[in-house]
Amino acid sequence: MKRLSFLVLILSFVFACSDSNKIQSGDIVFRSATSSSLSEAINNVTQTQKATNYSHIGVCDVVEGTVYIYHSDLGKGVVHEPLEAFMKATDTVKYVADFYRIKNITSNQVENALNRAKTFLGQPYNTTYILEDDGLYCSEYIYEVFKEDTIFELEPMTFKNPENKVFHEGWIKHYEELGIEIPEGKLGCNPNGMANSKHLEFVKSLTTN
């Protein structure tokens, strides 16, 4: 009888570990930097002490076993699309995606966050990265989705290379094209900084073939 109870306990632990590695609704996905100049600019000025290299972020929505991602894409605005589309590789770009779970999050919090995510669908991408401007950039979107739960914090933004304290060429070009000054020091958020949150725990990684 003791052996049977011990076996049941071990099997329960194994299944629990297996479930914990499955992508769940409410999980946060961080995608690696691409080869684009803007992605490179984001990554070069926002890397953390954990040596993360993320330039994009979304939140997972699992529907009948299929994983969808809510995210704000530079070319599409705020969308809800299958994980395969989020991870779709090209001839020149391969992606790595790391999935994190918010510690101690409740099912009600997840439901509320995803309902809030839906309300932003169709909004344009915020190319100025200024919170007060129209649209939502990728990390701004996720910040807004979980704003009520105070998971993520806003911090003064920098567009300077941390090694030489000079504005990255990609950002100089980007804001020259927009015809506005670089919003150095304004409050904002970025994928690398958000990945450093104490409220997150690592779940798994996926890589495009």
Side-chain angles (χ1 to χ4, degrees):
M1 188 67 179
K2 288 183 178 179
R3 287 183 177 179
L4 180 60
S5 298
F6 180 72
L7 179 60
V8 170
L9 180 63
I10 291 296
L11 288 175
S12 297
F13 176 76
V14 169
F15 285 124
C17 291
S18 176
D19 288 341
S20 68
N21 288 330
K22 291 181 180 179
I23 299 171
Q24 299 177 10
S25 291
D27 286 352
I28 310 295
V29 56
F30 295 88
R31 200 174 67 189
S32 64
T34 72
S35 58
S36 75
S37 59
L38 190 56
S39 289
E40 180 186 350
I42 293 171
N43 189 53
N44 283 355
V45 302
T46 64
Q47 280 184 311
T48 68
Q49 62 268 31
K50 290 186 177 180
T52 50
N53 62 339
Y54 307 126
S55 63
H56 197 53
I57 182 175
V59 60
C60 301
D61 178 28
V62 182
V63 181
E64 297 181 352
T66 300
V67 179
Y68 294 86
I69 308 296
Y70 283 102
H71 67 116
S72 184
D73 183 83
L74 179 61
K76 306 173 186 176
V78 179
V79 294
H80 178 252
E81 60 184 8
L83 176 61
E84 289 77 9
F86 182 81
M87 292 285 291
K88 187 176 181 180
T90 68
D91 291 338
T92 57
V93 178
K94 305 294 183 184
Y95 291 115
V96 174
D98 288 342
F99 295 81
Y100 288 80
R101 188 158 299 145
I102 299 171
K103 299 175 183 177
N104 303 316
I105 194 169
T106 67
S107 57
N108 283 339
Q109 285 176 302
V110 170
E111 183 179 358
N112 290 338
L114 293 182
N115 284 336
R116 184 163 172 76
K118 294 175 186 177
T119 67
F120 295 109
L121 286 173
Q123 287 207 22
Y125 189 89
N126 179 2
T127 56
T128 69
Y129 299 94
I130 299 172
L131 296 179
E132 296 80 12
D133 286 355
D134 292 338
L136 297 157
Y137 58 88
C138 67
S139 50
E140 177 189 7
Y141 176 47
I142 301 306
Y143 170 80
E144 289 292 339
V145 167
F146 290 98
K147 189 174 182 178
E148 293 181 1
D149 302 307
T150 61
I151 303 299
F152 303 108
E153 298 178 357
L154 299 177
E155 298 179 345
M157 295 188 295
T158 181
F159 298 83
K160 295 179 178 180
N161 189 312
E163 294 182 358
N164 57 23
K165 307 301 180 183
V166 173
F167 286 121
H168 188 280
E169 284 292 330
W171 287 122
I172 293 174
K173 180 180 179 182
H174 179 71
Y175 284 101
E176 282 180 348
E177 291 175 349
L178 291 178
I180 62 175
E181 292 184 2
I182 296 176
E184 180 74 10
K186 284 186 174 289
L187 289 179
C189 50
N190 63 76
N192 280 326
M194 294 168 85
N196 217 22
S197 171
K198 64 182 179 181
H199 299 293
L200 301 183
E201 57 186 358
F202 179 76
V203 176
K204 66 187 299 181
S205 289
L206 289 178
T207 305
T208 51
N209 296 323

